[in-house]
């Protein structure tokens, strides 16, 4: 099992790897200027939230361990609720995803996938929020004041969605009617679920797609760029000759079966 808390790293078999993952994650925030240090007294009577480490394993499509990941998550559950403020962010509807995949199969579209690294910190925070320093890296009498949105904040998904969609609009893409997570331009479709992005297009549109990718990489740190094989835990099984695409949730079924088995024993 992956560690549950920072203290668990002391006795965990892969503790050193997770510590390195912590340092790498904090370094990425330093580059993004997500926060800056202030004295604790500046946060008196202000919103000061806890944070926690979340540890996960990253596997390849064959189930082999690729790396250990650590992410710092702010305790958004401690935020004061404001009835006047909307924090709702749209996500790609399941039926829309299936429709897009069906269109890609029918017209033999190219399908590329990208992932935006630490996506939320690209959006500026529009409120005064403070966060305690993470376990393992604390300094006495010092806290962080946030500059950017961070995972766990209630408004972070909405701020990121606004930022990303404004970027698409600025390079000429328009929202597909009734689907706020799908944009199109001259036959190129971009659909996304938070920080997972897929692009569908015919081969003759490759120059436009290249310009799109270049524009996005100027603003965001992105990984991927290969053929779409997984999306939201769904495996994409494609037969280009037959123009068919199957969607498999075998990994999800295996995960559920494992949980049921563990609960029985």
């Amino acid at each position: 099992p992956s560690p549950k808390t920072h203290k668990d790293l002391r006795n965990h078999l892969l503790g050193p790897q997770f510590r390195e993952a912590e340092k790498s994650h904090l370094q990425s925030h330093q580059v993004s200027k997500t926060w800056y240090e202030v004295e604790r007294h500046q946060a008196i009577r202000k919103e000061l939230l806890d944070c926690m480490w979340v540890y996960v394993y990253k596997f390849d499509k064959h189930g082999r361990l690729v790396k250990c990941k650590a992410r710092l998550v702010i305790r958004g559950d401690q935020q004061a609720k404001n009835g006047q403020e909307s924090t709702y962010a749209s996500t790609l509807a399941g039926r829309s995803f299936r429709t897009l995949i069906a269109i890609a199969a029918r017209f033999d579209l190219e399908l590329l996938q990208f992932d935006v690294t630490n996506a939320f910190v690209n959006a500026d925070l529009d409120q005064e929020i403070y966060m305690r320093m993470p376990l393992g890296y604390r300094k006495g009498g010092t806290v962080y004041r946030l500059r950017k949105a961070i995972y766990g904040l209630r408004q972070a998904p909405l701020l990121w969605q606004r930022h990303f969609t404004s970027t698409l609009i600025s390079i000429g893409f328009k929202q597909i009617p009734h689907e706020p997570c799908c944009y199109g331009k001259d036959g190129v479709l971009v659909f996304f679920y938070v920080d997972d992005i897929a692009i569908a297009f015919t081969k003759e549109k490759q120059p436009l797609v290249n310009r799109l990718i270049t524009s996005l990489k100027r603003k965001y740190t992105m990984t991927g760029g290969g053929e779409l094989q997984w999306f939201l835990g769904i495996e994409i099984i494609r037969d280009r000759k037959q123009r068919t695409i199957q969607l498999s949730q075998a990994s999800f079924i295996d995960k559920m079966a494992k949980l049921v088995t563990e609960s029985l024993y």
Side-chain angles (χ1 to χ4, degrees):
S2 57
K4 299 298 181 185
T5 67
H6 178 77
K7 292 181 180 179
D8 292 343
L9 299 188
R10 296 175 187 172
N11 302 314
H12 196 277
L13 182 64
L14 296 177
Q17 287 89 332
F18 279 113
R19 287 192 187 92
E20 287 302 313
E22 286 182 345
K23 294 175 183 177
S24 176
H25 183 73
L26 292 176
Q27 177 63 28
S28 71
H29 280 296
Q30 186 175 352
V31 172
S32 302
K33 299 180 179 179
T34 307
W35 52 57
Y36 59 94
E37 296 181 10
V38 298
E39 294 183 4
R40 173 69 174 78
H41 67 82
Q42 293 187 35
I44 294 176
R45 298 189 182 88
K46 302 291 177 62
E47 198 155 43
L48 176 61
L49 307 176
D50 289 322
C51 60
M52 58 185 287
W53 286 106
V54 175
Y55 306 100
V56 296
Y57 298 114
K58 184 176 178 63
F59 301 96
D60 64 16
K61 63 181 181 180
H62 302 293
R64 296 183 293 233
L65 179 64
V66 176
K67 64 179 179 179
C68 298
K69 295 181 66 176
R71 172 177 284 174
L72 191 65
V73 178
I74 197 168
R75 291 285 305 277
D77 59 301
Q78 297 176 346
Q79 282 184 270
K81 292 185 179 180
N82 183 352
Q84 305 297 319
E85 180 187 18
S86 173
T87 58
Y88 173 75
S90 302
T91 53
L92 185 70
R95 62 182 180 275
S96 298
F97 172 64
R98 292 190 295 272
T99 301
L100 288 162
I101 291 298
I103 291 171
R106 170 65 178 81
F107 296 101
D108 195 31
L109 302 183
E110 304 298 317
L111 287 170
L112 300 181
Q113 182 174 27
F114 293 89
D115 178 77
V116 181
T117 303
N118 222 0
F120 289 176
V121 301
N122 290 286
D124 293 327
L125 193 61
D126 53 4
Q127 296 179 12
E128 186 177 1
I129 295 178
Y130 297 84
M131 182 181 77
R132 291 185 174 87
M133 301 182 84
L135 286 172
Y137 304 88
R138 288 183 172 173
K139 299 178 184 178
T142 305
V143 297
Y144 289 140
R145 178 171 176 179
L146 300 183
R147 281 195 182 103
K148 305 280 188 176
I150 185 174
Y151 282 90
L153 280 179
R154 286 189 181 134
Q155 62 269 50
L158 177 60
L159 293 174
W160 157 245
Q161 184 177 354
R162 287 174 177 170
H163 193 281
F164 183 63
T165 54
S166 67
T167 297
L168 291 176
I169 292 170
S170 71
I171 52 182
F173 280 76
K174 295 182 180 180
Q175 182 192 322
I176 301 300
H178 311 298
E179 181 43 77
C181 296
C182 186
Y183 281 68
K185 177 183 178 181
D186 297 336
V188 175
L189 293 172
V190 178
F191 53 100
F192 57 92
Y193 192 101
V194 189
D195 54 1
D196 285 326
I197 302 167
I199 304 174
F201 59 98
T202 55
K203 287 184 179 180
E204 58 265 27
K205 298 294 182 180
Q206 187 69 58
L208 173 58
V209 172
N210 291 341
R211 291 194 296 272
L212 165 65
I213 294 170
T214 299
S215 297
L216 292 178
K217 286 188 172 180
R218 285 197 191 107
K219 301 202 71 169
Y220 310 118
T221 302
M222 297 169 58
T223 58
E227 186 178 349
L228 182 67
Q229 293 182 320
W230 290 86
F231 196 80
L232 305 179
I234 300 173
E235 185 178 8
I236 315 298
I237 303 170
R238 188 166 198 180
D239 186 332
R240 296 295 289 264
K241 290 182 179 179
Q242 298 295 324
R243 291 199 178 186
T244 62
I245 299 178
Q246 298 179 56
L247 303 180
S248 170
Q249 289 188 276
S251 62
F252 176 75
I253 295 170
D254 290 341
K255 186 182 294 184
M256 291 298 101
K258 183 179 178 181
L259 289 173
V260 171
T261 302
E262 290 175 350
S263 67
L264 291 175
Y265 297 98

